[in-house]
Amino acid sequence: MYRTHNCGELRLADEGKEVTLSGWVQVGRDFGALTFVDLRDRYGITQLVFDSEDNASLCTQARKLGREFVITAKGLVRERTNKNPNRSTGDIEIMVRDMSILNSSKVPPFTIEEETDGGDDLRMKYRYLDLRRGPLQRNIIFRSKLALETRKFLDAQNFVEVETPFLIKSTPEGARDFVVPSRMNPGEFYALPQSPQTFKQILMVGGFDRYFQIVKCFRDEDLRADRQPEFTQIDCEMAFVTQAEVLATFEGLARHLFQHTIGVTLPDFPHMTYDEALRRYGSDKPDVRFDMELIDLNAVAQNKGFAIFDQAELVVGICVKGQAEYTRKQLDALTEWVKRPQIGAKGLVYVKCNADGSYKSSVDKFYHQDDLAAWAQLTGAEAGDLILVLSGEEEKTRKQMGDLRLEVARNLGLMTPGVFKPLWVVDFPLLEWDEDAGRFHAMHHPFTSPKREDVQRMLTGDHETMKALRADAYDLVINGVEIGGGSIRIHDRELQERNFKLLGFTPEDAEDQFGFLMGAFEYGAPPHGGIAFGFDRLCAVINGQNSIRDFIAFPKNNQGRDMMIDAPSPVAPEQLVELHLALTGKKEK
Ligand code: ASP
């Protein structure tokens, strides 16, 4: 009754067919005798024609159609005189003989086309309208395909999809938990999982050998741009594996997903240690689509009378190829950029390597041409290149330079769309010392194993030894974005107890929170390890986009609000009483 075809499938070969289409009115155009209407559904747009000489009353009706009216139209497919090569149905149109309006529509608050004029909050409030737009439709359909390909690949590798509970006990994984009061257990709360971490480990003890789940995770974090309080992971765990086997398996998954969604064959997945990533790129998730590696300049820049460099723990530079022509204005803008509080550098030094072999720098007062030639040699700068230099405390300065490197690359368009450069970052520190709290934090999470060669040192070593322990942990990074992270886990009660102790748990607290896991380790826990991928982020990265929000059907805004249903919201006082969160409600009996 509603349709014989969809709005994206009719071609010249269908000429002469009698068809029925249903969809939304994208736009109408009135040319006197003829009225044209673009009819849209998920599959495409087809042009309808109404001829007033043929059927005057139908044409009058068509002229009154508003944007987003829902209609059914019946008519004959015919060749268009004025073809539209940008549309798959652009060779044909439908001469409408009969039409019915299935529903009218108010004028939508923003345009429902490829590009929209709607602001973020408006688009989220009317999400059902935004979801009608081509880009969102394609993103959400892409997401469905990515989930399907994930299942296909993992199923073929013997992974079993298991659901784990959403109402669990609070676990420390770095973020704050969302808590849910228990009506039946006064004063007690469930927590929503930050990830299924302990459950997937228990599944390994339970003999499942290979587990995965495409699963919602919940983290009550202060929302930075493009974070969502609920997000999706491809969560995985394997028993009887080494790090190398885990990495090989999930390199396979990443390859499969890129190949079977966008037809891209990923290049090699090099391995880089955490230390090396920081040293060479100033980041533990380096974008290696371009060079501009960090080069230490202490040896050539210090002891020449420039106090700022002399007092610095680190003087570090990057060579920006072919940019000696950077203007004063551009350099000032970069200097302002590194001085922003988010970056926090004090200033920026530059050296221009002129075409004639001479150098022009912002520190010419302190350095001779020979000195600057030495900087150029170390950084690999040639005539026509620009050297940018920062100095200060080592760790901070490396990070600042890493950020500057990205900013310069952005400005120069070096982040080539369609180019994908994956790498594994490995050998993270196990523990981070928190000076203020006077205790260690787990860099990954408390269940991560130290590298095998560090186990004995962890059990017996002193405080300084603990700082140097390496974790059997790894991150998959693509184009500077952390796509996934995981580790080989501790599967031994004694080592897990030791870890909790280092993390500042009393034995009672550890038992209270994780007794179930350590108990399970006493019943033949196999060695195991795993990984979790950020599914929303993966969708965005494969599509070369920055925002995960457009890959989530119903996202929250920066304040963590769902603008459409208006959540969070207050609950009735009597609900609070029932949940033991208030003593008296409005409707007291
Ligand atoms: N549960 C970890 C996370 O959410 C991933 C893992 O270690 O497998 O980051």
Side-chain angles (χ1 to χ4, degrees), residues 39-58:
L39 191 67
R40 182 194 71 232
D41 68 9
R42 176 186 139 189
Y43 306 93
I45 295 177
T46 300
Q47 175 163 295
L48 310 179
V49 205
F50 299 81
D51 187 342
S52 64
E53 282 174 21
D54 199 40
N55 188 335
S57 74
L58 192 62

Side-chain angles (χ1 to χ4, degrees), residues 123-124 127 130-131 136 139-141 143 216 226-232 535-537 539-540 547-556 562:
R123 286 174 51 206
M124 282 202 233
R127 193 64 172 174
D130 206 19
L131 284 168
L136 274 250
N139 287 355
I140 301 300
I141 292 167
R143 183 183 174 105
K216 273 286 175 74
D226 211 34
R227 285 276 183 109
Q228 290 281 318
E230 51 178 306
F231 60 97
T232 303
F535 187 66
D536 315 285
R537 180 83 46 209
C539 286
S547 165
I548 64 171
R549 211 180 266 179
D550 288 345
F551 289 88
I552 298 173
F554 301 103
K556 306 227 172 352
D562 184 317

Side-chain angles (χ1 to χ4, degrees), residues 478-506:
I478 299 181
N479 293 357
V481 179
E482 183 195 324
I483 294 292
S487 59
I488 298 297
R489 327 295 184 189
I490 297 171
H491 63 280
D492 164 89
R493 174 157 196 139
E494 188 192 357
L495 196 60
Q496 188 66 66
E497 277 177 346
R498 169 76 176 154
N499 203 21
F500 282 135
K501 187 166 176 224
L502 289 168
L503 295 172
F505 286 75
T506 64

Side-chain angles (χ1 to χ4, degrees), residues 71-90:
I71 64 169
T72 291
K74 199 169 178 175
L76 217 57
V77 182
R78 75 173 190 197
E79 181 169 6
R80 266 166 83 162
T81 41
N82 195 356
K83 297 198 170 56
N84 179 350
N86 301 322
R87 232 177 236 174
S88 58
T89 62

Side-chain angles (χ1 to χ4, degrees), residues 408-541:
V408 171
R410 256 189 300 273
N411 292 344
L412 296 177
L414 300 181
M415 297 173 168
T416 324
V419 171
F420 297 98
K421 286 282 175 75
L423 82 152
W424 289 106
V425 178
V426 299
D427 292 0
F428 285 83
L430 184 70
L431 303 164
E432 275 177 307
W433 178 248
D434 180 338
E435 201 67 71
D436 300 333
R439 68 178 188 91
F440 285 109
H441 290 293
M443 183 110 175
H444 186 50
H445 54 53
F447 317 105
T448 295
S449 172
K451 297 200 74 158
R452 191 182 294 234
E453 58 270 27
D454 281 358
V455 169
Q456 209 43 47
R457 291 201 293 154
M458 178 165 170
L459 286 171
T460 55
D462 63 8
H463 185 76
E464 284 309 305
T465 312
M466 296 307 120
K467 287 187 186 166
L469 295 174
R470 295 286 123 178
D472 211 343
Y474 31 78
D475 276 357
L476 176 60
V477 176
I478 299 181
N479 293 357
V481 179
E482 183 195 324
I483 294 292
S487 59
I488 298 297
R489 327 295 184 189
I490 297 171
H491 63 280
D492 164 89
R493 174 157 196 139
E494 188 192 357
L495 196 60
Q496 188 66 66
E497 277 177 346
R498 169 76 176 154
N499 203 21
F500 282 135
K501 187 166 176 224
L502 289 168
L503 295 172
F505 286 75
T506 64
E508 294 73 33
D509 282 350
E511 188 57 36
D512 184 45
Q513 288 190 47
F514 297 108
F516 67 97
L517 185 66
M518 292 190 291
F521 287 171
E522 294 178 297
Y523 287 92
H528 60 284
I531 191 166
F533 293 89
F535 187 66
D536 315 285
R537 180 83 46 209
L538 186 59
C539 286
V541 166

Side-chain angles (χ1 to χ4, degrees), residues 173 194-195 197 200 219 233 235-237 444-445 485-487 489 530-532:
E173 269 201 71
Q194 293 183 33
S195 85
Q197 184 60 36
K200 66 175 173 175
R219 296 183 189 176
Q233 287 188 342
D235 190 45
C236 308
E237 197 74 6
H444 186 50
H445 54 53
S487 59
R489 327 295 184 189
I531 191 166

